[in-house]
Amino acid sequence: MLVMSSSLLFLLCPLMSSFMAAAQPAGCKIRITDKGLEMLKAETGKFVEEEISNISMPEMKGKEGRFQYTITDVKINDLNLTHAELQFVPDVGLLFDVQDSSISLSFHRRILYWFFYDTGNINASAEGVNINTVLNLIRDEEGRLKINNITCDAKITKMKAEFSGTLGKVYDFMASFLTSGMRFILNQQICPALNHAALVHVNSLLETIPVRTEVDSYIGIDYSLIEDPVVTSRSLDMHFRGMFFDLSDPNSTLENLAVEPVIKDYDRMVYLALSEFFFDSGMFSYYKAGVFQTHIVNEKMSRDMEMLLRTTYFGVIMMLNPALADAPLSLQIAVNSPPKTTIKTTGATVVMTAIVKVMLLPPGQAPFQLSSMTMETKFNAKVSIRGKRLAIHADLRRFKIFSNQSALESLALIPLQAPLKAMLQMSVVPLINNWTKKGVRIPLADGMDFIEEVVEYHNGFIVIGANLHFTKGLREMMEGNNQE
């Protein structure tokens, strides 16, 4: 009995681990609505037309009574997908459906009848072209969106041909068996062409969406899907991990305890939702990488600030060694805990606490600490999107310093409050904004951008609604990816 229980636990452990991994909240979500799909329909139609137009038809040879024929150089000249629809298929993926459309073709004939030999071109048209293609969307092993399977059914109802040349009228009666053969071959060629286009070309385009990639020289971001995409009749929802990590220690990450973002709307083409965890994991990773620290000395420190520090700590310096009264001073600022984001309906704020050390730098001697104080800051954070990049602009809202040594010294630091705040606003904050304005790429394929975005703040998360803009056609996007 004990052996059976142990075996059962051994079998269940991997299942429980995978369930726990999948149960983690999403830090980032994207919804593509039926309005976005409507815009994609035109590009999809162009792409399908190009794929079918590129179908390579084999040479046809045959004999009918005393007629011997050879058909070569088959070309699809025009494809008119007048009745095409692109729709969501709940719990499956996408449906591209073409009904009652037409194809114009031309091919070259060589015909031998008794001792008569004739050549010429044949113009043909296929009518009642119906194509039904269903794409099954999944999350692959890397957490990437992928077309896993394609179900295709293609049928051409009828085809007719017009002969030209010396014996064109005589050969009209041959049109029925020639077009029957051509229609059969076309029916057999359409679905394999679309299967290859979806499983190879479209999947290669999906590979341009970042999954786990570097943001800069310090941190990276994980945009892997945590589950298969959720497809309804109105939308395609993708739930991403949305987590930053320290490149030097990628396994040391922040636990996601934040409120999971919720997207309720369908009015825009696309929605992006980001939780507090998304931003906190970024700041946690920068904190782990040692980015949140600076040393203000020499030309980095304003003359007024240096004079104020020297006046404030003049007594300490004189007690230490009067000969050091003119020694350089510096401020060492180091964040002592990961900054924390709070998102409410009124906006987003970031709280940051740092240790500020006032240092005396005697030439040829070890630095001496004159004071240690805690600096508490609160920033307003404004989120925006440009193209495919998410950027943040910070404004200093609250600033406070107090001594780590005594309440009496805290009182003595009051004159430093305003100058230090001004220094942060004029030097540190612009550096932060110059850094964050570069932004981080959102999980969107190359050749597509957000436009006309609207940012909404909710309790615990942000939702950005936008429309989509194609900077390239689907074909150009895929060919660009293949050349990289």
Side-chain angles (χ1 to χ4, degrees), residues 234-258:
R234 300 184 65 187
S235 67
L236 167 67
D237 287 4
M238 294 168 284
H239 301 168
F240 302 93
R241 181 164 285 112
M243 177 189 70
F244 294 87
F245 56 89
D246 178 7
L247 292 176
S248 64
D249 189 11
N251 294 322
S252 178
T253 56
L254 189 67
E255 184 180 3
N256 188 354
L257 301 176

Side-chain angles (χ1 to χ4, degrees), residues 72-219:
T72 58
D73 298 330
V74 181
K75 296 179 181 178
I76 296 176
N77 300 321
D78 185 45
L79 180 62
N80 184 15
L81 302 183
T82 51
H83 305 287
E85 293 295 334
L86 184 62
Q87 302 171 349
F88 292 117
V89 181
D91 304 321
V92 178
L94 297 173
L95 164 68
F96 185 72
D97 187 58
V98 176
Q99 295 294 326
D100 198 23
S101 294
S102 62
I103 300 176
S104 297
L105 309 93
S106 64
F107 41 93
H108 186 76
R109 73 172 187 270
R110 295 197 300 272
I111 296 178
L112 178 65
Y113 177 69
W114 289 92
F115 299 106
F116 294 98
Y117 178 75
D118 186 48
T119 64
N121 293 321
I122 301 176
N123 294 319
S125 62
E127 298 177 355
V129 178
N130 301 315
I131 306 171
N132 185 280
T133 306
V134 178
L135 307 178
N136 182 28
L137 299 174
I138 65 164
R139 168 194 179 274
D140 70 7
E141 294 179 354
E142 295 180 358
R144 189 186 301 278
L145 182 66
K146 182 179 181 181
I147 298 173
N148 179 48
N149 187 34
I150 178 171
T151 304
C152 178
D153 180 49
K155 184 178 180 180
I156 298 174
T157 305
K158 59 182 178 180
M159 179 178 282
K160 60 182 180 180
E162 296 178 359
F163 285 74
S164 63
T166 307
L167 302 177
K169 294 293 184 181
V170 178
Y171 299 144
D172 278 347
F173 77 94
M174 295 181 59
S176 60
F177 68 84
L178 285 178
T179 54
S180 295
M182 186 62 62
R183 181 162 60 91
F184 175 79
I185 292 175
L186 259 179
N187 280 333
Q188 299 299 311
Q189 293 280 353
I190 290 175
C191 281
L194 296 183
N195 286 351
H196 181 267
L199 297 175
V200 177
H201 297 317
V202 179
N203 274 336
S204 71
L205 175 63
L206 294 176
E207 288 178 1
T208 67
I209 301 175
V211 172
R212 193 174 175 92
T213 184
E214 293 183 4
V215 174
D216 52 33
S217 58
Y218 300 101
I219 67 171

Side-chain angles (χ1 to χ4, degrees), residues 451-467:
I451 60 170
E452 302 168 348
E453 65 275 2
V454 175
V455 182
E456 294 182 353
Y457 295 86
H458 301 265
N459 290 326
F461 59 93
I462 291 173
V463 177
I464 303 172
N467 291 322

